[in-house]
Amino acid sequence: MLERLLNFGNAMPGVVSLGLIWGIMAIGLYITYRILNLSDLTVDGSFCTGGAVCMLMVAMGQPVWLAMVCAFAAGALAGAVTGILHTLCKIPAILAGILTQLGLWTVNMIIMGLQQGKLISTLTIPARNSNLMVSAMYLSKALNGSKPIIFYPPLLLGIVTVIIIGVLYWFFGTELGSSLRATGANAAMSRAQGINTNNCKILGLMISNGIVALSSVMLSHYQGFVDVNMGRGAIVIGLAAVIISQVMFARVFRNFALKLTGVAIGAVIYYIVIQIVLWLGLNTNLLKLLSALIVAIFLAVPHWKGSMKGGRGHA
């Protein structure tokens, strides 16, 4: 039993790292799901797109910062496609996201196969490559001194998360950011105030999917490869983080920056729960079902709380 507890403790840095990576993705999802009030399923495709673009450029010897900028731009372009389908073609947001997601499946394989001139589903970066920003290999290297401590994944990912939250907090305090928030709160009133809600929706989807692409960059660097299937089910993990944050921190985190922080923490909590269940011996093939159950439970918690309060009040 002691050995199992030690193994669980040793796994925590990796669990926190993965939680922060998916927390960045959940922050991107929060923009569409909570701020714009749109159901965007593009993320299952754009999540892979960012990693594919970044890892291809890293494999070609390009600087990491340039690869990250291009990955963000690729994700934003995917969001723009969904936004155009929704606003100009009048396709419902959820269906527009599905259409973009389906198209990105092939696009992602084309991107990963550019060097080889054919469609491939997995692109791997050799372990000796030193251009990785964050990697599972650095977990022990940063602690034993063979890598600078800044490369310790939980620390570096925490810094990246704080930077992203800071930038978003600044942006949504500007006039343009406030227009996006107004569009999600009341589109009809926003149009009456002269706000171009279509442009706001497109911009919001671009920002959201750009951030999702950045989280894909982190995951690709962390695991050393990008796979066309790695975005499948991303929407469930992102929603889990958002809902967990809402249920656990809604009364405490009222500031916008704190709400985004809560989303990142929600993703970490989600992965800790997954790790605990795996530690207890759950078959890994059941993880998708477990993810769905976690989301369903946290979605139902507010209703249960309301029902119990109503029942006590009636009594």
Side-chain angles (χ1 to χ4, degrees):
M1 184 62 180
L2 179 59
E3 183 179 353
R4 292 186 64 191
L5 287 173
L6 289 174
N7 290 337
F8 179 80
N10 291 334
M12 276 299 100
V15 171
V16 172
S17 297
L18 287 172
L20 289 172
I21 289 171
W22 287 97
I24 295 172
M25 190 278 295
I27 289 173
L29 184 65
Y30 182 89
I31 294 174
T32 52
Y33 184 65
R34 286 298 184 195
I35 297 178
L36 287 179
N37 198 24
L38 292 175
S39 299
D40 179 30
L41 297 183
T42 312
V43 296
D44 277 16
S46 61
F47 185 81
C48 177
T49 303
V53 170
C54 181
M55 295 301 267
L56 175 66
M57 294 187 68
V58 169
M60 295 171 62
Q62 299 299 317
V64 173
W65 67 267
L66 179 59
M68 293 179 66
V69 170
C70 292
F72 180 89
L77 181 60
V81 172
T82 298
I84 291 171
L85 290 175
H86 172 54
T87 58
L88 300 185
C89 301
K90 303 305 178 184
I91 298 174
I94 191 168
L95 182 55
I98 292 173
L99 292 174
T100 306
Q101 173 197 139
L102 289 174
L104 285 173
W105 176 274
T106 301
V107 171
N108 292 336
M109 289 198 294
I110 292 174
I111 293 172
M112 291 187 290
L114 284 177
Q115 277 189 313
Q116 302 179 27
K118 60 181 180 180
L119 297 177
I120 61 173
S121 60
T122 303
L123 176 62
T124 303
I125 298 298
R128 65 179 180 274
N129 192 290
S130 60
N131 287 329
L132 296 179
M133 179 180 179
V134 57
S135 172
M137 296 183 297
Y138 300 164
L139 281 170
S140 59
K141 290 183 177 180
L143 292 179
N144 63 25
S146 58
K147 270 279 184 183
I149 192 64
I150 189 63
F151 284 96
Y152 187 57
L155 174 61
L156 182 58
L157 289 167
I159 293 173
V160 172
T161 302
V162 169
I163 292 173
I164 291 174
I165 291 173
V167 171
L168 289 175
Y169 180 73
W170 165 80
F171 172 75
F172 281 101
T174 64
E175 183 177 351
L176 180 57
S178 297
S179 298
L180 265 70
R181 298 171 75 171
T183 297
N186 192 325
M189 182 62 72
S190 298
R191 285 192 293 270
Q193 296 296 321
I195 297 174
N196 190 322
T197 55
N198 284 344
N199 287 348
C200 286
K201 289 179 180 180
I202 294 174
L203 178 60
L205 286 164
M206 291 177 67
I207 295 172
S208 171
N209 284 278
I211 294 173
V212 169
L214 282 181
S215 71
S216 172
V217 168
M218 301 301 166
L219 181 60
S220 301
H221 281 223
Y222 185 79
Q223 63 190 10
F225 69 91
V226 58
D227 184 83
V228 73
N229 291 309
M230 75 181 198
R232 182 174 294 179
I235 187 73
V236 175
I237 300 175
L239 282 175
V242 173
I243 299 304
I244 290 172
S245 170
Q246 178 184 359
V247 171
M248 298 187 67
F249 308 119
R251 294 185 178 181
V252 181
F253 292 170
R254 298 185 180 275
N255 177 276
F256 180 68
L258 290 179
K259 288 181 179 180
L260 295 180
T261 303
V263 171
I265 296 174
V268 175
I269 292 173
Y270 169 84
Y271 263 91
I272 291 176
V273 171
I274 293 292
Q275 182 63 30
I276 291 173
V277 175
L278 291 176
W279 178 69
L280 293 174
L282 178 74
N283 190 323
T284 55
N285 292 323
L286 301 178
L287 280 180
K288 295 294 184 182
L289 175 61
L290 175 63
S291 300
L293 288 175
I294 291 174
V295 174
I297 290 171
F298 276 96
L299 280 170
V301 165
H303 172 70
W304 293 339
K305 286 183 177 179
S307 298
M308 289 188 292
K309 289 181 179 178
R312 288 196 296 268
H314 180 72

